[in-house]
Amino acid sequence: CNNRIFNCSNDENFKNLIQGETWEMGDNLDAEEKYDKFCDIYTKHYESAYPSKNNSARRRHERAQPKPWILPWLEDAIHRKQLLYHDFIKHNTTANKVKYDKMKKFTEKHVNLSKRRYYAKFFEEHKDNSKKQWGLINELLNRGKKTSDIK
């Protein structure tokens, strides 16, 4: 699905493109040919002023705000765990509970391992940049910029 980027700067750019166009169609063209030429010129400026942004298709079970340490195969495993949970809730049997518990243990183990690797790699890459390190630490501790209510 393609969406266009609409904002004030793009509006201004489009207005400048349209105003800067000479609109010379030629006298030897009939009305239909002039209309086609007009549409071509207008579309060309519209396309350049309002570029389309391609919404890259998300993976099958990818979240809207994916965590950087969750790999695609791990997303699928988490989805399978959720399906097993729904089966367990609908049909409360010992076999369903065992399947769910086994998958839950597997996903928790691999999520924790993946998270640990991700942060270890991050700190290793930025071992010389304390600003990046503290930025991540503050983000993890939900320490945002303090806003003052005093006006």
Side-chain angles (χ1 to χ4, degrees), residues 98-112:
V98 169
K99 286 182 199 175
Y100 168 69
D101 286 343
K102 186 176 178 183
M103 190 56 134
K104 181 180 176 190
K105 184 177 178 183
F106 174 85
T107 55
E108 284 178 350
K109 172 185 164 187
H110 286 283
V111 165
N112 289 337

Side-chain angles (χ1 to χ4, degrees), residues 109-122:
K109 172 185 164 187
H110 286 283
V111 165
N112 289 337
L113 184 63
S114 183
K115 193 187 284 191
R116 197 173 317 122
R117 284 182 184 156
Y118 172 79
Y119 288 122
K121 182 181 173 188
F122 181 89

Side-chain angles (χ1 to χ4, degrees), residues 47-100:
E47 296 283 339
S48 67
Y50 302 108
S52 62
K53 62 178 182 180
N54 292 332
N55 290 345
S56 58
R58 290 200 327 234
R59 291 184 301 273
R60 190 165 176 202
H61 303 295
E62 184 179 8
R63 298 174 179 208
Q65 300 282 322
K67 304 289 185 198
W69 59 85
I70 302 289
L71 302 172
W73 67 268
L74 197 49
E75 287 174 344
D76 292 337
I78 291 168
H79 180 71
R80 285 194 305 274
K81 179 192 79 164
Q82 291 170 342
L83 293 176
L84 289 172
Y85 177 74
H86 290 297
D87 285 346
F88 171 61
I89 295 300
K90 279 185 178 178
H91 311 287
N92 194 353
T93 64
T94 308
N96 284 345
K97 180 164 178 35
V98 169
K99 286 182 199 175
Y100 168 69

Side-chain angles (χ1 to χ4, degrees), residues 2-11 14 46 49-51 53:
N2 288 341
N3 293 326
R4 300 222 174 255
I5 302 169
F6 294 101
N7 56 34
C8 293
S9 65
N10 287 352
D11 291 342
F14 181 66
Y46 184 83
Y50 302 108
K53 62 178 182 180

Side-chain angles (χ1 to χ4, degrees), residues 18 21-45:
I18 292 294
E21 183 61 44
T22 59
W23 299 107
E24 291 180 16
M25 304 285 178
D27 293 333
N28 57 348
L29 301 175
D30 66 354
E32 191 169 325
E33 291 172 333
K34 286 182 179 181
Y35 176 74
D36 289 341
K37 188 160 175 97
F38 168 80
C39 286
D40 290 342
I41 293 170
Y42 187 88
T43 304
K44 177 184 76 169
H45 293 314

